[in-house]
Amino acid sequence: AVNVHLDSQRRVDAIARNPYKADKPDAIDFTVGNALGQSYLSEDATLDPTHVTARLEKDKLEKHGDAARKLGMKLMPIAFTTFGGMGDVFLKSRWRPFFKELMDKELKEGGLGWKTRKQQQRALEKLSIVLARENGAMIARATSWQQAVATRP
């Protein structure tokens, strides 16, 4: 079950629970950071490829973590960069375990793992497409604004 709220910066983006598992519901908050944004340009960012997503996740945890815990939920920040970087919190707690479970099942059933690898690759391709489209839209918006300002009388 998923409940989604897109109307307020004071709420998480979604609440999801898996009725087949007994774990706590996740309070999900998505964020995408532009790794070339002024606030992310630092020596740390040049030395650590996860610097931007780690900072995005930290910001979300600080913003919503306590409130989620008080409501009996676990906050799941899902952070990406405009270059396709994926945050460790989601990657390690949901993405990898999900595909490991699929792989184990496929291998147990006599498969070689190719079906699961194909599913994982397809998911990454879809994510890349979404990020590329949004990067293009972001550039188009910036370009339109710049053209409008440049052509003012």
Side-chain angles (χ1 to χ4, degrees), residues 98-122:
F98 173 77
F99 284 105
K100 183 181 182 331
E101 190 176 307
L102 286 180
M103 179 67 77
D104 291 347
K105 182 180 178 196
E106 183 179 347
L107 295 174
K108 186 178 178 181
E109 293 172 351
L112 299 174
W114 293 111
K115 181 179 174 184
T116 299
R117 291 181 210 283
K118 181 179 177 182
Q119 286 177 307
Q120 186 173 16
Q121 186 62 37
R122 184 68 180 135

Side-chain angles (χ1 to χ4, degrees), residues 5 26 30 33 37 45 48 55 80 82 92 101-102 108 116 121-122 129 131 133 137 150:
H5 301 282
D26 286 335
F30 293 92
D48 179 7
R55 188 160 154 208
F80 296 102
T82 52
K92 291 177 179 177
E101 190 176 307
L102 286 180
K108 186 178 178 181
T116 299
Q121 186 62 37
R122 184 68 180 135
I129 290 167
L131 289 171
R133 284 182 181 158

Side-chain angles (χ1 to χ4, degrees), residues 35-109:
L36 293 178
Q38 189 64 38
S39 61
Y40 300 117
L41 297 177
S42 67
E43 185 176 343
D44 291 337
T46 63
L47 300 173
D48 179 7
T50 65
H51 175 76
V52 175
T53 53
R55 188 160 154 208
L56 291 166
E57 290 170 336
K58 181 179 179 272
D59 290 348
K60 290 295 184 179
L61 288 165
E62 287 174 357
K63 184 177 180 181
H64 299 296
D66 288 339
R69 274 189 294 282
K70 287 177 185 174
L71 294 171
M73 294 183 233
K74 178 182 174 190
L75 181 66
M76 174 64 56
I78 301 179
F80 296 102
T81 69
T82 52
F83 296 134
M86 186 184 303
D88 280 346
V89 172
F90 175 70
L91 186 67
K92 291 177 179 177
S93 65
R94 292 292 187 256
W95 183 275
R96 287 181 183 157
F98 173 77
F99 284 105
K100 183 181 182 331
E101 190 176 307
L102 286 180
M103 179 67 77
D104 291 347
K105 182 180 178 196
E106 183 179 347
L107 295 174
K108 186 178 178 181
E109 293 172 351

Side-chain angles (χ1 to χ4, degrees), residues 126-144:
K126 287 181 177 184
L127 175 61
S128 296
I129 290 167
V130 168
L131 289 171
R133 284 182 181 158
E134 290 308 310
N135 279 335
M138 187 170 51
I139 290 168
R141 285 190 302 271
T143 303
S144 299

